[in-house]
Amino acid sequence: ISPPGSLVLVSPWSDISASHGDNANTPVDFLGGQQAPFAVYARAAFFGPHGEFAEQSRYMCPGSVATGVEAPSFVGWPRSLIIGGEAECLVSSIRELVSRMTKDMGEMVAYLEVADSVHDFLTVDFWEPERTNTLKYISRWMEGSEEQA
């Protein structure tokens, strides 16, 4: 199997370790904070018995800012589009991921941060016009029209 030609990451949870902590968006994003029952359960389910090791893994938490976690390498990755919502509680870890990917990949990384949008707003059919505009942006980007996106 050949590697993918492109990646589209929508609201990626790039710091499951919660090293970024909560931010000002926590009260407005439906995910809640890092200690919300959903987040606590999701971390336990994802990490399983490897919790402490996994939280220090640069591959499981590529957006982590925890002390001692080495930054991952994105050299050789396919061109990537990352979508984030300005009002989502994961925005700081998404920005960290974008920064790290851009350092290794340069212009092969595109980032669209959508104003006043929460986590995974593309799944919310009433989140308009942001939802439709972003889907059109993704379509143009996939077609290779980055300069028009």
Side-chain angles (χ1 to χ4, degrees), residues 31-130:
L31 279 184
Q34 296 293 339
Q35 298 309 316
F38 166 77
V40 172
Y41 172 79
R43 277 195 301 277
F46 183 76
F47 290 148
H50 311 290
E52 193 169 307
F53 165 76
E55 287 186 6
Q56 296 295 312
S57 171
R58 63 185 177 163
Y59 298 107
M60 290 188 175
C61 301
S64 174
V65 292
T67 304
V69 177
E70 186 179 343
S73 172
F74 295 99
V75 173
W77 278 47
R79 74 186 195 108
S80 301
L81 170 61
I82 303 169
I83 308 290
E86 179 191 40
E88 70 175 287
C89 59
L90 304 178
V91 71
S92 60
S93 61
I94 293 171
R95 290 172 181 160
E96 183 67 28
L97 177 66
V98 170
S99 173
R100 290 176 176 180
M101 290 179 76
T102 301
K103 180 181 175 218
D104 287 346
M105 300 168 58
E107 293 182 9
M108 289 181 57
V109 177
Y111 177 50
L112 177 63
E113 187 171 291
V114 182
D116 302 321
S117 295
V118 296
H119 179 76
D120 214 4
F121 66 94
L122 293 180
T123 64
V124 184
D125 60 358
F126 61 80
W127 210 276
E128 294 294 346
E130 295 85 353

Side-chain angles (χ1 to χ4, degrees), residues 15-34:
D15 179 25
I16 299 173
S17 74
S19 69
H20 287 265
D22 289 335
N23 63 36
N25 294 335
T26 298
V28 297
D29 193 347
F30 67 87
L31 279 184
Q34 296 293 339

